[in-house]
Amino acid sequence: MAAIQDIKDIEWALQVMKSGAHNLHSISFFLSQQSSNCFQETENSININITTQTLPHFSQLLKFLATPENDTSLSSLDFHLVEWEPHLVNDLRALLDNNRSIRQVTFKRNKFNAECLSELSDSLRRNTCIKDLVFSESKIGSEGAAFVASSLRDNCTLEELQIWEDSIGSKGAEELSRMIETNSTLKLLTIFDSKSFTATPLISSVLARNRSMEVHIWSGAHNGKISKVVEFAPENGTLRVYNLDPLGACRVICSLGRNTTVRSLDMTGLRLKTRWAKELRSVLEQNRTLKEVNLSNTCLKDKGIVYIAAGLFKNRSLEKLYLDGNSFSAIGIEHLLCPLSKFSPFQNQANTSLKSITLGGGRTKFGKDGISAFLKMLISNETITHIGIHEDESLKPDDIVGIFKTLERNTTLRRFSLRGCKGVRGESVFQTIIETLNVNPWIEDIDIARTPLHISGKSEAIYQRLGQNEKTEPEIDLLKDMAMAMPKSCRVFLCGQEYSGKSTLCNSISQNISPSKMPYLDEIRILVNPVEQAVRTPGMKIKPFKDEDTNISIWNLAGQHEEYSLHDLMFPGHGSASFFLIVSSLFRKPSNREPKTPTEIEEDLHYWLRFIVSNSKRAVNQCMLPTVAMVLTHYDKVNHHQSDNSLRATITLVQGLRDKFQDFVEFYPTVFTVDARSSASVSKLSHHIRKTSRTILQRVPRVYQLCNDLVEILSDWRQQNQNKPLMKWKEFGELCQIKIPFLRIRSRNDNREKVETRRRAVATSLHHIGEVVYFDELGFLILDCGWFFGEVLSQLIRLDVRKQSSTANNGFVCRQDFEKILVPGLGSNVTDNMEANDVIKMMLKLELCCEQDPSNPDSLLLIPSVLEEGRWKPQRWPILLSPDNNYNYVGRHLRCDDSSHVFLTPGFFPRLQVHLHNKIMGLRNQQHGASYSLEKYLISININGVHIRVELGGQFGHSVDVLACSTKSPTEMLRLFQNLVIPAIHSLCQGFTLVECVLRSECVKNLTPHRYRRKSQFVPLQQLKRALLSVPADSIYDYQHTWDSVTESGSTIIGPGFDFARELLSDDDFREVLHCRYHVLYNLAVELQLPQENNPGGGEMAAAAAASIEPTFAGIAKGVEEVLQRLKIIEQEIRDVKQEIRGLRYYENALLIELHRKVNHLVNHNTQIEERKVPNMFYFVRTENYSRRLITTVISGMAAMRMHMLCEFRGEMHVVEDQIGCELMQVDNVTVKFLAPYMKKFMKLLTFALKIGAHLAVGMGELIPDLGREVAHLVDSPVLYGAAGAAAVGAAGAGVAANRSRNTRDIQQDLVPAQQWVVDFLKDQRCSTGKDIAEKFGLWRVRYRDNGRIAWICRRHVCTRPHDIIEVPI
């Protein structure tokens, strides 16, 4: 109460308002007071008291405040105890209309009649300044609420509306709710009503219209107790309902169907009916923003819980659900946990958004079925992180033990609350919790407050163990100190053609080694020995058995040709304990007695030997040669009197194969001849298998003992899980976590990825040793290899997609159609364990198929196995090719370097079709307009106008042809080969070499059949390059490669012809030859110490050679101007190439002059040795396989060599044709001592000449062609084209570079012993006279007229150069 001295009269208040000195913000009017006065309550506020008799003062003040010149700082007006009349309302209306600064108006304990409320409503409708409107104890009723609602429908500035201690009734509430539907600016609604039902329409409208409006609704009971009905806080999206009748609760929950503002709904303690739960189901199915629902103690029963569970099936947003304190039983629990569980490996969890669920309460009864449902949820759920069971009395200690045992495999649960549960008691429960925490480090908190276990004081140990799980374990390599052990499992691969008796042989071996394990029907089949049926065993079969502590499994590879493409997938990896039995029948078919010829048997065995060698070379880090034994079956049908010769011939051929492959496989010397149906007949073979298995297990690399243990653990797991053939990666992780401490995650802060890597490494090791089939990207392990290879893959290649799918086109099949075909096609045994999508993912991993567009989930699938043979069709280039255009044709032939031992296996080309497609699709952004089509043995590609054909050379061939046709230059096409096609082929041929050959262009143009192409219609690329290197520089550009003709049955298929080498090679290859030629010459100049003045331009040429010259043929474009420009570029590049060739020619002449000078010095360095009575220039050759090879070095023990002499005419030295020579029977240490220095010097110069090339100049031109055959092995060596110092080849030239300084020394000391040795050797051979030397070597002794030096020259030079020489006979 203001002090007496502060009380002023009304006039003072008016003066204050007029002066504006006090900057008033708030004015409060109190009417019906005892006296009229005023006082200043604060610095910016004033209270004015007015009696009933001085009511005109109130009107006067309102009018004054309404004048435009009044203070604009006023923002708040409070009216207390005002009985409004129409003229006062008009004054207030004028005030609110004229004063734009007022933001808040409060009416407390005012009285309004209908007319006043209507006027006030009109004023509020037009007002754009007021933000806050408060009615407190003003008894506006439903009529006043309707007027306020009517004004706020049009008002877009009011933000807060408060109605305190009034009863607006249901009608007023409905009017306000309709206002809320149209008004989007109201931010706060506070209602204090005597009835709680007024909250229903208000909050329903707010929620239905997604208004961001804070709502507080209160009600007062008759006893004076005030309670909150509902509140909504939009800033955190929380809706809390405290007290509503069932109908109101239903209306509120229905408004949440499309709501996006509520994230948390709390209806704790509200009595809810089944009808409400039914409406909640619809809300859960529709709402996408509701995150939390709290329904604790809401009296829900089983039927209501069933409705909630039904809503969870489609809900994708709810994260927390509280249902504790309700009255439902096992039925409700089963339904509630159903959308949170998986009941099949192929079933997806229906609800994956819910993270937390709370159950329990004294009225909740789990029961047996409820416990089973709860355990199933714990096993299969992958999203729940928090589970609460509160105040439960139905769970027993055994149930708690079962729950924690199940939690050992759960990796997602973080918090588990058992607060107040009576069943958490006893030592077994305590020990189980500790054991679970030892295995499961992911549980962060276990709440056992108010449980008997907590009361007994044992909770501290649990919390301590939880703290240990939080600690980070030290980073150590758990596998580093693990024990190594010998593998216990060995695989035996039965390889053979169909009808060879492999299945029968497998049964007999199994019966012989492990008779107790023989199935009854198989035993009857063997013992009764019925007539053998000519029925093929479909698919690949695996028969495991045990021999003491060794596990042996026989892998019977399917002999049907359609399954050959799968054999590569079954081949053992590196370090795998395995060996091979190649089985061949002595008869063509078991149903008749027509014997195979020895050649047919040899072909069978040869195929499988090449298959084994080819795949073993592809294996990484091959630790030992494959072990092979040969078995001939149906020996019981052989007529021994008539077939002895045939058997002997067969054994001879087998022995020849053994000799041929002895460096590639390890053969067992004995060839087994057996009756596959007789257990006694295969006893020796069975003994061999047992013995060889033990031997191989001792030889292969050791494995971790853990791998052997895991084999047993996985076997036990299969028995416990209905013999499932495959295991999900999640299940494997759970098994490792529980059973294998070395692969266990010990702390939740451990590096989980590191442990996962360790587990993957172990799984990969099991894959390599053949115990499982593991695919990292697919997320499962196949435990039954026989099921996988024999039923899954074998069924896949037998699916006839063409008949069942109308979309199959060029190998592409619609994904949906293929999935429909897979389900019935694979059979129930496969589809019960693998989904169709898993099968497709596996095929993609194995490159059995690929996606046309990997970015499209509905992409077509490319399946090579559905392709048809197209070789019978006419082969031609695309019709789009116009005959008016000038097309270029290039081709490359890739063949196995060692085709007698390796070949491209049947699985190679289907994998290439998929691999090349994936590579092209990966370059789609760079290669616009790329198209791809397939036939059985053909890949057709069109990239940027280049038509490419990739063809397999026969079904079981050893070559691939890559052909191209385009208007683009050969260089551009060949670059596409080198950058795309050929690398893809090489990537699938790791372990053996493919030789790249150049195909004849005419064969490419006419698409000559492959059987004619391989007959002298290709030349190795490196051989063609060497040919260019061997010709004189002037001939390089115009060098022609000639082709032989191909005839068949007397008719000419392809006539003879030629191609320019520059057209067969790309510009890159041709310039590589030029640069290589220059570098060779440059290195020779260094070796010969050619003076710089004799090598003009050498520095410039070196710089030019060092630079990489890239030809820039961009293709012929449209338009005459562009064509002319292209021709100018071509002419300029030809001039550049010819300029380079002229430079090479000049360089070669300078080198020849220096080379002749060196040779003449070598010949004439010592004219005193017996007055040159014998020639000096000698060399040795050896005859091998009807050809002569030049000897570049001599070592002790060499034999059967023949010495020859060169014509020594200066500048024109050459080989003398038809020279007999002298034979050197044996090389001893003395001979080596005398000849080694000479061989170094002379062979170096000879090698130089070879590097320069044949037909270089007069003199050396005769030397090289004659010796070319003998030194072909030198030319093949890359050493020959190496850097300086690598000129000398073999052991004799190994030290030339290191001893280059010796070139300047006097060579007399080195060569005198060699020349003396020649003199002595010829004397021993009785060839010391001129006549003898002329007879054996065709050389005559002469003297040059100008310098008097002695030389030995041929008869041709004697006759043609009589003016230069004088004969000096001995």
Side-chain angles (χ1 to χ4, degrees):
M1 194 67 177
I4 296 177
Q5 61 271 23
D6 294 334
I7 296 177
K8 314 292 184 190
D9 56 14
I10 299 297
E11 293 297 330
W12 179 87
L14 191 60
Q15 285 296 120
V16 169
M17 294 178 190
K18 289 181 179 180
S19 64
H22 289 73
N23 194 23
L24 293 177
H25 292 171
S26 175
I27 300 178
S28 298
F29 294 96
F30 292 82
L31 273 65
S32 303
Q33 300 299 309
Q34 296 178 355
S35 60
S36 296
N37 54 56
C38 63
F39 64 90
Q40 190 170 357
E41 186 174 18
T42 65
E43 181 181 356
N44 303 111
S45 64
I46 187 173
N47 287 359
I48 300 176
N49 299 318
I50 301 175
T51 64
T52 306
Q53 293 76 16
T54 59
L55 193 60
H57 289 299
F58 177 52
S59 179
Q60 183 182 2
L61 291 171
L62 292 179
K63 290 178 180 178
F64 173 78
L65 292 173
T67 58
E69 63 272 8
N70 186 37
D71 187 8
T72 60
S73 63
L74 185 63
S75 60
S76 177
L77 290 175
D78 292 351
F79 299 97
H80 299 260
L81 301 172
V82 178
E83 295 183 8
W84 292 93
E85 296 180 4
H87 70 281
L88 293 176
V89 174
N90 289 333
D91 294 337
L92 176 62
R93 180 176 178 177
L95 169 61
L96 297 179
D97 290 344
N98 295 330
N99 195 317
R100 315 297 296 176
S101 63
I102 296 176
R103 296 291 181 265
Q104 179 178 358
V105 179
T106 302
F107 300 97
K108 187 173 184 180
R109 298 177 68 184
N110 285 227
K111 291 184 178 180
F112 298 93
N113 57 29
E115 184 180 357
C116 294
L117 287 172
S118 177
E119 290 292 331
L120 180 61
S121 173
D122 290 341
S123 177
L124 292 174
R125 181 179 289 107
R126 296 191 303 271
N127 191 280
T128 59
C129 300
I130 297 177
K131 302 295 184 183
D132 188 0
L133 180 61
V134 180
F135 293 94
S136 177
E137 301 178 64
S138 297
K139 298 181 180 179
I140 61 174
S142 60
E143 186 178 17
F147 278 117
V148 172
S150 175
S151 64
L152 294 185
R153 287 192 186 99
D154 300 325
N155 185 290
C156 59
T157 57
L158 189 71
E159 296 180 353
E160 298 183 11
L161 175 62
Q162 303 181 48
I163 303 177
W164 290 90
E165 299 186 28
D166 204 341
S167 179
I168 62 175
S170 61
K171 182 179 178 181
E174 293 293 344
E175 291 292 336
L176 287 175
S177 70
R178 284 191 282 272
M179 175 272 295
I180 292 171
E181 292 178 1
T182 58
N183 188 303
S184 60
T185 59
L186 202 60
K187 303 300 181 185
L188 174 64
L189 177 62
T190 303
I191 305 292
F192 188 160
D193 201 279
S194 59
K195 303 296 184 180
S196 61
F197 59 76
T198 57
T200 302
L202 296 174
I203 191 64
S204 298
S205 294
V206 171
L207 300 178
R209 291 295 179 176
N210 291 312
R211 301 302 184 204
S212 298
M213 181 190 303
E214 186 177 348
V215 179
H216 300 275
I217 301 178
W218 303 73
S219 70
H222 296 292
N223 56 8
K225 185 178 180 181
I226 299 173
S227 63
K228 204 167 194 178
V229 181
V230 65
E231 66 177 358
F232 173 57
E235 64 273 6
N236 56 17
T238 301
L239 175 63
R240 177 75 168 89
V241 181
Y242 297 91
N243 181 22
L244 277 182
D245 57 53
L247 290 178
C250 287
R251 182 172 177 180
V252 170
I253 198 65
C254 287
S255 65
L256 289 175
R258 301 293 181 181
N259 181 271
T260 59
T261 58
V262 177
R263 293 187 292 276
S264 175
L265 172 63
D266 188 353
M267 306 192 79
T268 302
L270 205 64
R271 193 174 185 85
L272 301 176
K273 301 294 185 180
T274 300
R275 179 183 172 186
W276 182 91
K278 185 177 181 181
E279 300 296 340
L280 177 62
R281 170 191 176 176
S282 300
V283 171
L284 292 175
E285 292 176 348
Q286 300 175 27
N287 192 284
R288 294 293 179 266
T289 59
L290 193 61
K291 302 296 183 184
E292 179 179 349
V293 174
N294 191 337
L295 302 178
S296 299
N297 301 307
T298 51
C299 303
L300 288 173
K301 297 183 180 179
D302 285 333
K303 193 171 183 180
I305 299 298
V306 170
Y307 280 122
I308 294 174
L312 290 177
F313 274 99
K314 294 185 178 181
N315 184 272
R316 295 295 179 269
S317 62
L318 190 66
E319 296 179 357
K320 296 180 181 180
L321 178 61
Y322 300 89
L323 291 172
D324 52 307
N326 290 285
S327 304
F328 53 91
S329 64
I331 296 175
I333 291 175
E334 284 185 281
H335 283 82
L336 179 65
L337 300 181
C338 183
L340 305 176
S341 307
K342 292 194 298 184
F343 301 91
S344 166
F346 309 121
Q347 176 190 1
N348 292 324
Q349 184 178 311
N351 184 291
T352 58
S353 62
L354 196 65
K355 309 298 181 188
S356 173
I357 186 169
T358 303
L359 309 172
R363 292 174 293 179
T364 300
K365 307 297 181 185
F366 271 83
K368 183 178 179 180
D369 293 336
I371 287 293
S372 298
F374 190 75
L375 296 180
K376 183 67 177 178
M377 185 271 291
L378 290 179
I379 292 173
S380 60
N381 185 277
E382 298 177 352
T383 57
I384 296 292
T385 60
H386 179 274
I387 296 177
I389 302 177
H390 295 166
E391 310 297 335
D392 181 83
E393 298 179 359
S394 63
L395 294 174
K396 306 303 180 187
D398 290 343
D399 299 330
I400 302 297
V401 169
I403 290 172
F404 276 97
K405 284 287 187 183
T406 305
L407 284 178
E408 291 181 351
R409 300 183 178 182
N410 189 296
T411 60
T412 57
L413 190 66
R414 297 295 180 265
R415 290 176 175 81
F416 188 31
S417 177
L418 294 169
R419 188 186 311 154
C421 292
K422 305 300 181 184
V424 185
R425 66 177 185 270
E427 185 65 23
S428 61
V429 173
F430 172 74
Q431 291 297 333
T432 303
I433 294 176
I434 296 298
E435 292 173 2
T436 299
L437 293 178
N438 288 335
V439 172
N440 188 335
W442 308 113
I443 299 178
E444 299 176 3
D445 182 44
I446 297 179
D447 185 2
I448 57 172
R450 302 198 305 275
T451 63
L453 204 63
H454 172 72
I455 297 172
S456 64
K458 293 188 176 181
S459 60
E460 189 63 31
I462 295 175
Y463 296 141
Q464 183 179 359
R465 187 66 189 86
L466 284 169
Q468 293 176 358
N469 282 353
E470 190 174 3
K471 296 178 181 179
T472 303
E473 292 289 330
E475 290 285 343
I476 58 175
D477 189 356
L478 297 179
L479 295 178
K480 183 177 180 181
D481 299 325
M482 286 181 56
M484 305 295 289
M486 185 179 73
K488 293 184 178 180
S489 301
C490 183
R491 289 183 287 175
V492 183
F493 289 90
L494 287 186
C495 308
Q497 309 290 345
E498 54 188 347
Y499 304 120
S500 61
K502 298 188 300 298
S503 299
T504 307
L505 180 64
C506 183
N507 291 333
S508 299
I509 293 171
S510 178
Q511 168 69 9
N512 195 284
I513 296 179
S514 183
S516 60
K517 300 295 183 181
M518 192 66 184
Y520 177 73
L521 290 179
D522 288 342
E523 187 174 353
I524 293 297
R525 208 173 279 122
I526 291 176
L527 295 179
V528 175
N529 194 18
V531 176
E532 189 171 0
Q533 299 178 355
V535 178
R536 302 181 300 177
T537 303
M540 198 270 307
K541 301 296 182 182
I542 297 178
K543 184 174 287 295
F545 49 87
K546 203 170 184 67
D547 177 33
E548 299 178 355
D549 60 342
T550 302
N551 298 317
I552 301 176
S553 57
I554 299 181
W555 293 49
N556 181 3
L557 301 186
Q560 294 81 10
H561 286 283
E562 60 267 21
E563 299 205 28
Y564 277 18
S565 60
L566 299 179
H567 289 168
D568 292 349
L569 303 177
M570 308 173 199
F571 199 85
H574 66 87
S576 173
S578 57
F579 63 99
F580 300 86
L581 296 179
I582 301 180
V583 183
S584 180
S585 174
L586 292 169
F587 293 84
R588 290 175 180 168
K589 284 190 178 181
S591 56
N592 57 44
R593 291 182 175 272
E594 184 179 0
K596 285 184 181 179
T597 64
T599 303
E600 290 176 321
I601 296 176
E602 182 191 26
E603 289 177 354
D604 288 352
L605 301 179
H606 191 209
Y607 169 83
W608 288 106
L609 286 172
R610 290 203 302 166
F611 166 78
I612 294 170
V613 173
S614 300
N615 276 288
S616 65
K617 284 183 173 292
R618 289 176 53 235
V620 182
N621 299 329
Q622 185 180 4
C623 60
M624 65 181 198
L625 294 178
T627 302
V628 175
M630 297 184 183
V631 181
L632 300 178
T633 58
H634 299 110
Y635 184 67
D636 55 304
K637 299 180 181 180
V638 174
N639 187 332
H640 298 284
H641 297 290
Q642 300 177 0
S643 302
D644 287 343
N645 295 332
S646 177
L647 279 176
R648 280 195 294 269
T650 300
I651 297 301
T652 301
L653 291 175
V654 170
Q655 181 61 43
L657 287 176
R658 182 184 292 115
D659 296 339
K660 182 177 180 180
F661 284 86
Q662 62 181 352
D663 295 331
F664 300 91
V665 297
E666 184 177 326
F667 277 102
Y668 186 68
T670 301
V671 176
F672 295 95
T673 54
V674 299
D675 172 11
R677 296 174 298 178
S678 169
S679 177
S681 177
V682 301
S683 59
K684 292 183 179 180
L685 177 60
S686 303
H687 176 73
H688 168 72
I689 292 175
R690 298 168 67 177
K691 181 180 177 181
T692 306
S693 298
R694 296 192 186 97
T695 302
I696 290 179
L697 288 173
Q698 293 173 357
R699 293 171 58 188
V700 296
R702 296 293 186 264
V703 299
Y704 291 119
Q705 178 62 42
L706 173 63
C707 293
N708 289 335
D709 298 339
L710 256 176
V711 172
E712 301 297 331
I713 293 172
L714 291 174
S715 177
D716 295 341
W717 183 89
R718 287 194 65 194
Q719 293 177 3
Q720 297 168 6
N721 291 272
Q722 294 80 43
N723 213 30
K724 287 178 61 176
L726 61 81
M727 166 188 274
K728 296 288 186 181
W729 182 254
K730 179 177 179 291
E731 296 172 324
F732 182 72
E734 294 172 356
L735 192 66
C736 293
Q737 189 71 21
I738 296 173
K739 299 288 187 180
I740 308 171
F742 283 104
L743 300 179
R744 179 179 296 166
I745 300 173
R746 300 172 179 272
S747 167
R748 56 179 169 271
N749 292 324
D750 272 359
N751 188 341
R752 187 173 184 177
E753 184 57 35
K754 186 174 181 179
V755 178
E756 283 293 308
T757 302
R758 205 172 290 135
R759 291 174 179 175
R760 286 193 291 268
V762 172
T764 303
S765 178
L766 291 174
H767 174 86
H768 287 322
I769 64 177
E771 295 295 340
V772 301
V773 179
Y774 170 57
F775 301 106
D776 187 14
E777 295 85 351
L778 304 187
F780 54 77
L781 293 86
I782 295 172
L783 307 181
D784 189 344
C785 298
W787 170 83
F788 176 66
F789 289 113
E791 297 190 32
V792 180
L793 295 185
S794 294
Q795 294 293 337
L796 277 176
I797 64 172
R798 290 192 179 92
L799 290 177
D800 195 347
V801 178
R802 293 186 298 272
K803 290 184 179 180
Q804 303 182 51
S805 174
S806 60
T807 62
N809 183 24
N810 291 332
F812 289 95
V813 182
C814 176
R815 191 185 190 103
Q816 289 77 12
D817 289 351
F818 187 57
E819 289 181 355
K820 293 177 183 178
I821 297 170
L822 280 178
V823 175
L826 292 178
S828 60
N829 193 28
V830 176
T831 55
D832 288 348
N833 294 282
M834 293 183 74
E835 288 183 314
N837 191 45
D838 285 337
V839 176
I840 292 175
K841 288 180 180 179
M842 175 202 61
M843 293 176 67
L844 291 172
K845 171 65 179 176
L846 296 175
E847 292 190 336
L848 297 176
C849 74
C850 64
E851 296 173 309
Q852 187 181 46
D853 182 6
S855 61
N856 182 7
D858 298 325
S859 169
L860 294 176
L861 295 175
L862 169 62
I863 307 176
S865 62
V866 308
L867 295 171
E868 294 181 344
E869 172 70 66
R871 289 181 174 174
W872 55 271
K873 301 177 183 177
Q875 299 296 311
R876 61 173 64 92
W877 290 105
I879 302 176
L880 297 175
L881 302 181
S882 171
D884 298 333
N885 293 332
N886 185 19
Y887 287 95
N888 294 311
Y889 300 89
V890 294
R892 291 293 183 264
H893 174 82
L894 304 177
R895 58 183 177 85
C896 296
D897 187 31
D898 185 10
S899 58
S900 61
H901 298 102
V902 297
F903 71 130
L904 301 177
T905 59
F908 163 78
F909 202 73
R911 291 201 313 273
L912 177 63
Q913 291 173 319
V914 173
H915 184 72
L916 195 54
H917 175 272
N918 292 338
K919 195 168 183 178
I920 291 175
M921 292 301 105
L923 299 174
R924 174 175 287 182
N925 294 333
Q926 294 86 357
Q927 307 291 348
H928 299 287
S931 64
Y932 194 88
S933 62
L934 301 176
E935 293 179 9
K936 190 73 172 179
Y937 303 113
L938 172 66
I939 304 172
S940 298
I941 311 168
N942 186 345
I943 300 180
N944 295 334
V946 179
H947 301 272
I948 301 175
R949 293 169 60 95
V950 183
E951 303 178 359
L952 179 67
Q955 184 176 4
F956 303 117
H958 56 270
S959 64
V960 176
D961 288 349
V962 185
L963 319 176
C965 168
S966 176
T967 57
K968 296 178 183 276
S969 68
T971 295
E972 292 176 278
M973 292 188 283
L974 290 172
R975 282 179 180 168
L976 197 57
F977 284 9
Q978 297 299 330
N979 295 331
L980 181 64
V981 181
I982 294 180
I985 296 173
H986 281 300
S987 66
L988 299 180
C989 299
Q990 298 178 358
F992 53 89
T993 304
L994 290 180
V995 178
E996 183 176 349
C997 303
V998 179
L999 275 171
R1000 182 177 179 179
S1001 300
E1002 185 178 350
C1003 293
V1004 178
K1005 180 179 180 180
N1006 300 325
L1007 292 180
T1008 304
H1010 189 275
R1011 64 182 181 275
Y1012 302 127
R1013 275 185 238 151
R1014 63 188 179 188
K1015 297 179 180 179
S1016 69
Q1017 299 304 300
F1018 60 83
V1019 58
L1021 177 62
Q1022 295 303 322
Q1023 180 179 330
L1024 185 58
K1025 289 182 179 180
R1026 287 196 298 269
L1028 285 175
L1029 288 171
S1030 67
V1031 300
D1034 287 343
S1035 304
I1036 290 180
Y1037 188 78
D1038 295 324
Y1039 179 81
Q1040 299 174 356
H1041 182 79
T1042 58
W1043 305 103
D1044 295 335
S1045 62
V1046 177
T1047 60
E1048 186 178 62
S1049 301
S1051 61
T1052 301
I1053 306 298
I1054 308 172
F1058 69 90
D1059 283 312
F1060 287 105
R1062 64 176 185 269
E1063 295 177 353
L1064 296 174
L1065 300 176
S1066 67
D1067 292 348
D1068 302 327
D1069 289 332
F1070 196 73
R1071 291 188 180 273
E1072 178 188 345
V1073 171
L1074 295 181
H1075 295 168
C1076 181
R1077 182 63 164 270
Y1078 170 73
H1079 283 296
V1080 167
L1081 298 178
Y1082 178 77
N1083 293 333
L1084 291 179
V1086 175
E1087 290 284 354
L1088 296 173
Q1089 297 179 333
L1090 187 67
Q1092 186 63 31
E1093 57 272 12
N1094 293 335
N1095 183 20
E1100 290 79 5
M1101 292 188 66
S1108 178
I1109 302 174
E1110 290 291 336
T1112 57
F1113 294 174
I1116 300 177
K1118 294 181 181 180
V1120 176
E1121 293 298 330
E1122 295 185 10
V1123 172
L1124 292 176
Q1125 185 64 28
R1126 171 67 183 275
L1127 293 176
K1128 291 179 181 178
I1129 294 174
I1130 295 174
E1131 291 172 359
Q1132 182 61 42
E1133 292 204 354
I1134 291 174
R1135 286 196 294 270
D1136 293 343
V1137 171
K1138 290 186 175 180
Q1139 182 64 32
E1140 288 190 43
I1141 293 174
R1142 282 195 293 271
L1144 291 175
R1145 173 62 177 156
Y1146 180 85
Y1147 204 19
E1148 288 175 355
N1149 287 332
L1151 287 173
L1152 280 174
I1153 294 171
E1154 180 65 15
L1155 181 61
H1156 292 163
R1157 189 182 67 82
K1158 295 281 187 180
V1159 173
N1160 287 333
H1161 177 71
L1162 182 64
V1163 172
N1164 300 299
H1165 77 281
N1166 189 354
T1167 61
Q1168 303 302 321
I1169 297 184
E1170 305 225 359
E1171 296 181 355
R1172 290 295 313 275
K1173 291 184 178 181
V1174 295
N1176 278 353
M1177 305 302 291
F1178 63 91
Y1179 62 95
F1180 296 96
V1181 296
R1182 174 187 290 173
T1183 302
E1184 293 181 359
N1185 298 327
Y1186 305 101
S1187 64
R1188 296 191 300 168
R1189 297 179 69 87
L1190 181 67
I1191 304 301
T1192 60
T1193 184
V1194 290
I1195 58 176
S1196 180
M1198 296 179 68
M1201 298 191 306
R1202 185 167 289 275
M1203 184 177 73
H1204 292 273
M1205 301 288 188
L1206 294 175
C1207 171
E1208 299 175 355
F1209 192 87
R1210 57 188 178 188
E1212 297 182 19
M1213 289 169 290
H1214 63 90
V1215 173
V1216 180
E1217 294 185 4
D1218 301 326
Q1219 190 180 83
I1220 300 174
C1222 292
E1223 187 170 3
L1224 177 63
M1225 299 302 297
Q1226 185 76 28
V1227 177
D1228 54 19
N1229 292 331
V1230 176
T1231 303
V1232 172
K1233 180 179 179 181
F1234 285 130
L1235 292 183
Y1238 171 83
M1239 296 296 285
K1240 281 187 179 182
K1241 294 292 182 180
F1242 178 70
M1243 293 314 300
K1244 180 196 292 188
L1245 295 177
L1246 181 59
T1247 306
F1248 289 170
L1250 290 173
K1251 286 185 177 182
I1252 295 175
H1255 308 292
L1256 294 180
V1258 178
M1260 293 304 295
E1262 297 295 331
L1263 173 63
I1264 307 308
D1266 293 344
L1267 290 182
R1269 292 184 297 272
E1270 291 119 15
V1271 298
H1273 63 291
L1274 286 179
V1275 180
D1276 288 337
S1277 174
V1279 179
L1280 197 60
Y1281 304 105
V1289 180
V1296 172
N1299 299 290
R1300 187 182 299 170
S1301 61
R1302 295 187 59 189
N1303 291 335
T1304 61
R1305 293 170 47 185
D1306 186 6
I1307 61 175
Q1308 180 177 356
Q1309 297 178 1
D1310 292 333
L1311 301 187
V1312 167
Q1315 293 172 345
Q1316 187 60 52
W1317 177 87
V1318 171
V1319 173
D1320 297 338
F1321 174 73
L1322 292 178
K1323 287 182 179 179
D1324 293 340
Q1325 296 291 322
R1326 297 181 180 179
C1327 184
S1328 57
T1329 67
K1331 182 180 178 181
D1332 296 333
I1333 293 176
E1335 181 181 346
K1336 289 195 174 185
F1337 297 103
L1339 299 177
W1340 280 259
R1341 186 169 180 264
V1342 299
R1343 184 188 302 273
Y1344 293 113
R1345 295 180 183 272
D1346 53 358
N1347 56 19
R1349 291 187 176 180
I1350 301 296
W1352 287 83
I1353 65 174
C1354 65
R1355 172 54 62 185
R1356 179 171 63 86
H1357 280 115
V1358 170
C1359 297
T1360 58
R1361 301 296 180 92
H1363 302 293
D1364 297 333
I1365 61 173
I1366 300 174
E1367 288 194 44
V1368 187
I1370 300 178

